[in-house]
């Protein structure tokens, strides 16, 4: 259910948030954040579920976080189906940012 629910949102949002010259570095950052938070969830499962009084309360906390994320996605994230990256960035007000990044970074540069 994770794969057909909020699971792919990390990759979809990250792929559409970065302009082409910065997409690889942005996806690397998104992958790090995803793996780091997944590790935190795994590391805190036993101590946090015991502190909350059981697994049901632990999963209730994450159910509330998931619900909040779903509400945020519905209200804030724009529909991007059938749109180019340029159209998406223009829609969310990143047109000026895209104009600044029109040229690809020089080979060997950090950004």
């Amino acid at each position: 259910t994770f794969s057909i629910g909020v699971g792919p949102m990390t990759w979809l949002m990250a792929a559409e948030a970065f302009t082409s010259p910065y997409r690889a570095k942005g996806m690397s950052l998104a992958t790090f954040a995803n793996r780091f938070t997944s590790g935190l969830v795994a590391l805190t499962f036993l101590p946090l579920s015991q502190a909350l009084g059981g697994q049901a309360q632990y999963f209730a906390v994450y159910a509330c976080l998931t619900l909040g994320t779903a509400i945020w996605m519905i209200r804030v994230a724009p529909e991007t189906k059938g749109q180019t990256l340029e159209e998406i960035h223009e829609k969310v007000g990143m047109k000026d940012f895209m104009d600044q990044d029109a040229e690809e970074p020089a080979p060997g540069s950090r950004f």
Side-chain angles (χ1 to χ4, degrees), residues 12-49:
L12 292 173
M13 294 297 292
E16 293 178 351
F18 300 104
T19 57
S20 296
Y22 300 104
R23 187 165 305 125
K25 290 182 188 219
M27 290 301 293
S28 296
L29 181 62
T31 300
F32 170 77
N34 182 277
R35 299 298 179 195
F36 181 76
T37 54
S38 295
L40 280 178
V41 170
L43 285 172
T44 61
F45 175 73
L46 288 175
L48 194 54
S49 64

Side-chain angles (χ1 to χ4, degrees), residues 48-110:
L48 194 54
S49 64
Q50 290 172 353
L52 293 173
Q55 293 179 3
Q57 292 84 349
Y58 178 85
F59 286 110
V61 167
Y62 282 102
C64 290
L65 289 171
T66 302
L67 178 64
T69 301
I71 291 169
W72 179 82
M73 291 294 290
I74 290 168
R75 290 185 178 206
V76 176
E79 175 58 53
T80 60
K81 183 177 180 180
Q83 297 178 352
T84 65
L85 282 175
E86 291 77 17
E87 291 170 338
I88 294 168
H89 288 190
E90 188 173 328
K91 187 176 187 178
V92 297
M94 293 180 65
K95 182 76 172 126
D96 295 333
F97 180 74
M98 282 183 43
D99 289 342
Q100 293 173 359
D101 296 333
E103 295 182 23
E104 293 219 9
S109 70
R110 292 184 52 104

